[in-house]
């Protein structure tokens, strides 16, 4: 690893604009953006993927390898990524910093406590929860209805037992009421931090967050509770983006960490805007498949921040295509041209969807060692038939060298195909129309059914004057539908909307579909069971 000051120098960051966290990590001072904000923006490229599978697709891996390859070709490139959450690191996925020759370092630090951003967000979230209960304990001047407190508690770990709790038990401990936890990545504080432009915008957004409703049915906000300034104090460092590096020294800005299946799934606006001033090309990612992360990137982040994506990279693998074509997960290494051919429908639909946003796309075939040449050629042949550029990526094994073909294809796309980015829907349409548009146009569903609870919540949101906000769909990542087992490219299904909640500070409505949970559980054999640390502090099993 290079000292972080040397990495910063590659993109013109001066020593006094760095807040060092040891030799290899640093926060970037707000004064840096003030100095460079008049510069012309670089070109913004989104890396997304087909629907994820147990075999893994390598979206973050591809983002890092592509950025390294672009730099090696002479294009000044900065990557902008999300921060990992401890929940999946110790649960199903393990580490989230790439792997092989395409990873960001120091990977163990980044995957664990990093610079404390997620802890700060957790603390700010729970401070507000404590102040809500304290307000009711000391007289409840705002006449909060204990049955209509919508602000949950948060922690950065998967724990299904906290999905439903009872607080206030015991004499003198406040109002007894039902509550629950969500994972920090699903917190509205996380969304607010990731969508804010600066500390002042952060405070305004925190103040607008709705924490519950009064006895008269009126929304009560964090500002009314008096929590905003204290929350902002806890977030004063977390709002600053973090600078690290890829293995080959490429600068990487890592900031914010919302999941795309239960939140909006994009790294921070502050980090992305700064990267665009520092690099000629900025490679960023959005979580899970393009039906989730990319849709929210286009419809929420880019719209709110005024960003224009110039191109998209869709990551696919032979194994994932076989899985979506019906192959069993324990047989994905075996030749199965029939399953591969059937699974190509999933890739094709994601390409079609990206075109609906007016953004040109290139397909990256993330290569595994046991992929057969004829299988890879079948995928490339389908891309040629769709008239979509495609390239094989071997960045895991070869780093930037293995991403050269992909980088050249992307550069050609940027030079020859102008983006005509446009959101999928207009904000002026009502919330039900926006949901229906996403279900029809992106998922290819036939319709939407709403629970009575969702309809009541929708009426409250529109009554409060928030009918024009975009929607953030909380949906399984494994399928275009809200049913995890419905693989491939299904059509004609009905999406079940269980609940709708307003994130007034973030500026969107969260639409919970199917059985999606905002507090995940650990798998039967969590990654935590297979980790160890020796007497010298060497960690094994985190990746």
């Amino acid at each position: 690893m290079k000292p972080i000051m040397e990495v910063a120098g590659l993109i013109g960051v001066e020593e006094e604009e760095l807040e060092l966290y040891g030799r290899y990590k640093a926060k970037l001072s707000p004064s840096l953006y003030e100095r460079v904000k008049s510069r012309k923006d670089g070109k913004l490229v989104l890396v997304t993927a087909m629907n994820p599978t147990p075999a893994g697709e390598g979206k973050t891996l591809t983002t890092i390898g592509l950025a390294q390859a672009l730099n090696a070709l002479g294009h000044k490139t900065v990557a902008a990524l999300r921060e990992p959450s401890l929940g999946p690191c110790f649960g199903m996925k393990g580490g989230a910093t790439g792997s092989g020759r395409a990873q960001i370092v120091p990977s163990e630090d980044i995957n664990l406590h990093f610079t404390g951003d997620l802890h700060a967000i957790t603390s700010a979230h729970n401070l507000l929860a404590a102040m809500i209960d304290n307000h009711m304990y000391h007289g409840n001047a705002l006449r909060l209805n204990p049955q209509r407190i919508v602000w949950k508690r948060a922690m950065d770990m998967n724990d299904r037992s906290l999905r439903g709790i009872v607080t206030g038990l015991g004499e003198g401990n406040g109002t007894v009421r039902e509550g629950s936890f969500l994972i920090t990545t699903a917190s509205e504080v996380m969304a607010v931090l990731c969508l804010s432009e600066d500390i002042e915008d952060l405070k305004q957004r925190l103040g607008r967050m709705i924490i519950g409703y009064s006895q008269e049915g009126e929304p009560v906000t964090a500002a009314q509770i008096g929590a905003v300034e204290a929350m902002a104090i806890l977030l004063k460092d977390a709002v600053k983006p973090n600078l690290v590096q890829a293995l080959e020294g490429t600068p990487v800005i890592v900031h914010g960490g919302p999941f795309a299946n239960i939140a909006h799934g994009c790294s921070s606006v502050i980090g992305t805007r700064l990267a665009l001033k520092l690099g000629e090309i900025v490679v960023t990612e959005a979580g899970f498949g393009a039906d989730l992360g990319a849709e929210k990137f286009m419809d929420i982040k880019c719209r709110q921040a005024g960003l224009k994506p110039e191109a998209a990279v869709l990551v696919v693998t032979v194994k994932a295509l076989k899985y979506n074509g019906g192959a069993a997960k324990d047989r994905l290494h075996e030749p199965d041209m029939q399953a591969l051919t059937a699974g190509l429908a999933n890739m094709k639909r994601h390409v079609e969807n990206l075109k609906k946003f007016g953004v040109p796309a290139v397909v990256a075939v993330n290569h595994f060692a046991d992929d057969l040449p004829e299988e890879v050629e079948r995928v490339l042949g389908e891309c040629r038939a769709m008239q979509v550029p495609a390239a094989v990526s071997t960045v895991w094994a070869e780093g930037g060298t293995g991403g050269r073909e992909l980088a050249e294809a992307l550069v050609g796309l940027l030079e020859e195909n102008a983006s005509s980015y446009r959101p999928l829907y207009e904000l002026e349409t009502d919330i039900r129309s926006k949901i229906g548009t996403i279900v029809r146009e992106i998922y290819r569903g036939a319709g939407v059914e709403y629970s009575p609870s969702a309809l009541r919540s929708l009426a409250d949101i529109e009554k409060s004057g928030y009918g024009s906000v975009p929607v953030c769909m909380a949906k399984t990542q494994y399928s275009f539908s809200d049913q995890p087992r419905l693989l491939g490219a299904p059509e004609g299904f009905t999406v079940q909307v269980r609940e709708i909640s307003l994130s007034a500070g973030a500026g969107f409505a969260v639409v919970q579909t199917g059985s999606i949970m905002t507090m995940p559980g650990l798998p039967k054999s969590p990654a935590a069971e297979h980790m160890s640390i020796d007497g010298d502090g060497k960690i094994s099993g985190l990746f």
Side-chain angles (χ1 to χ4, degrees):
M1 284 185 287
K2 298 177 181 178
I4 198 62
M5 290 180 62
E6 183 178 337
V7 175
L10 297 174
I11 47 176
V13 178
E14 298 174 0
E15 182 177 349
E16 60 270 21
E17 294 164 333
L18 289 175
E19 298 176 12
L20 299 177
Y21 281 65
R23 285 175 53 82
Y24 305 111
K25 309 186 294 289
K27 281 193 169 290
L28 297 168
S29 170
S31 63
L32 171 59
Y33 185 75
E34 289 302 310
R35 179 170 66 83
V36 301
K37 65 182 181 181
S38 60
R39 292 180 183 175
K40 180 182 177 181
D41 282 349
K43 293 184 177 182
L44 181 60
V45 176
L46 173 70
V47 178
T48 183
M50 61 180 292
N51 292 97
T53 68
E57 284 59 60
K59 184 170 69 273
T60 302
L61 167 91
T62 302
T63 302
I64 298 163
L66 174 59
Q68 293 181 148
L70 286 165
N71 267 316
L73 288 175
H75 302 280
K76 187 179 178 183
T77 302
V78 179
L81 301 177
R82 294 170 299 156
E83 299 182 46
S85 163
L86 293 178
C89 282
F90 286 84
M92 182 180 294
K93 287 182 65 175
T97 51
S99 59
R101 295 296 306 164
Q103 61 178 292
I104 51 176
V105 288
S107 55
E108 290 172 353
D109 291 3
I110 297 167
N111 277 307
L112 296 174
H113 306 288
F114 200 16
T115 57
D117 292 350
L118 266 71
H119 298 307
I121 292 167
T122 303
S123 297
H125 182 111
N126 290 331
L127 171 63
L128 178 55
M131 291 181 71
I132 293 167
D133 286 326
N134 189 60
H135 177 87
M136 291 192 294
Y137 180 79
H138 289 290
N140 197 8
L142 294 172
R143 292 179 52 78
L144 274 166
N145 183 345
Q147 304 305 314
R148 297 200 65 193
I149 302 297
V150 298
W151 193 257
K152 301 178 180 181
R153 285 172 164 80
M155 66 179 295
D156 186 33
M157 188 59 65
N158 296 1
D159 191 344
R160 63 173 54 82
S161 65
L162 295 178
R163 289 172 182 164
I165 61 171
V166 177
T167 61
L169 294 173
E171 185 176 352
N173 293 330
T175 304
V176 177
R177 64 181 182 89
E178 292 185 4
S180 59
F181 274 75
L182 44 68
I183 194 166
T184 298
T185 50
S187 166
E188 187 177 356
V189 179
M190 172 67 82
V192 162
L193 181 136
C194 287
L195 292 169
S196 295
E197 297 182 1
D198 51 36
I199 189 71
E200 290 303 320
D201 186 35
L202 175 79
K203 290 198 290 185
Q204 291 177 18
R205 288 173 177 269
L206 291 173
R208 292 197 298 267
M209 296 188 309
I210 294 172
I211 57 91
Y213 293 84
S214 69
Q215 297 287 356
E216 293 73 30
E218 296 299 318
V220 178
T221 65
Q224 290 173 274
I225 290 290
V228 172
E229 292 295 331
M231 294 175 73
I233 289 169
L234 287 170
L235 297 169
K236 70 179 181 65
D237 293 318
V239 76
K240 302 170 187 175
N242 308 288
L243 179 67
V244 290
Q245 63 188 292
L247 279 177
E248 296 175 13
T250 290
V252 183
I253 291 177
V254 180
H255 197 216
F259 293 167
N261 58 346
I262 53 179
H264 76 286
C266 305
S267 60
S268 76
V269 167
I270 292 174
T272 304
R273 279 185 170 168
L274 183 55
L276 287 167
K277 300 299 182 183
L278 299 174
E280 297 171 1
I281 298 176
V282 173
V283 184
T284 190
E285 67 166 359
F288 291 122
D291 55 317
L292 285 168
E295 185 272 313
K296 296 170 186 181
F297 177 82
M298 305 288 186
D299 282 327
I300 296 176
K301 178 178 176 177
C302 289
R303 190 198 316 249
Q304 284 201 25
L307 301 173
K308 181 188 176 184
E310 299 291 344
V313 177
L314 181 74
V315 180
V316 306
T317 70
V318 167
K319 286 182 170 61
L321 290 166
K322 289 179 186 176
Y323 186 78
N324 271 278
K329 64 181 180 181
D330 59 348
R331 307 192 72 172
L332 297 178
H333 63 286
E334 299 177 5
D336 191 338
M337 192 61 74
Q338 182 177 352
L340 174 62
T341 300
L344 287 169
N346 187 274
M347 177 187 76
K348 182 177 179 181
R349 179 170 295 176
H350 283 299
V351 171
E352 292 171 350
N353 286 348
L354 288 170
K355 290 182 178 179
K356 292 184 178 184
F357 295 100
V359 178
V362 58
V363 172
V365 183
N366 182 23
H367 191 272
F368 282 62
D370 55 0
D371 291 345
L372 297 178
E374 56 267 31
E375 294 174 329
V376 175
E377 178 54 35
R378 180 67 183 88
V379 179
L380 296 175
E382 183 69 18
C383 292
R384 287 193 293 270
M386 296 175 64
Q387 297 184 325
V388 175
V392 176
S393 171
T394 57
V395 296
W396 184 89
E398 300 178 285
T401 300
R404 185 182 182 93
E405 181 185 346
L406 175 60
E408 290 174 341
L410 174 63
V411 170
L413 192 69
L414 291 171
E415 292 175 347
E416 299 169 10
N417 294 269
S419 171
S420 56
Y421 158 70
R422 57 188 177 274
L424 186 70
Y425 52 79
E426 299 296 330
L427 291 179
E428 291 71 24
T429 59
D430 60 69
I431 290 176
R432 289 184 70 165
S433 295
K434 293 165 192 164
I435 296 169
T437 297
I438 294 171
V439 169
R440 290 191 308 273
E441 297 295 321
I442 302 299
Y443 307 160
R444 304 297 205 280
V448 186
E449 289 185 357
Y450 295 84
S451 72
S453 175
L455 291 174
R456 287 192 297 270
S457 298
L458 183 57
D460 286 340
I461 291 169
E462 292 175 339
K463 178 183 175 182
S464 300
Y466 286 95
S468 62
V469 297
V471 295
C472 179
M473 302 294 287
K475 179 186 76 70
T476 178
Q477 63 268 31
Y478 298 114
S479 171
F480 277 107
S481 74
D482 58 346
Q483 305 165 50
R485 298 181 185 277
L486 202 56
L487 303 177
E491 296 181 351
F493 50 85
T494 299
V495 171
Q496 304 292 326
V497 173
R498 191 174 77 251
E499 187 56 87
I500 303 175
S501 59
L502 175 62
S503 294
F508 53 66
V510 179
V511 181
Q512 290 184 236
T513 69
S515 58
I516 195 73
M517 297 285 184
T518 56
M519 171 53 82
L522 293 170
K524 183 176 181 179
S525 179
E529 292 181 357
H530 310 289
M531 296 179 185
S532 62
I533 183 169
D534 65 19
D536 295 323
K538 182 180 179 181
I539 296 172
S540 301
L542 185 56
F543 305 103

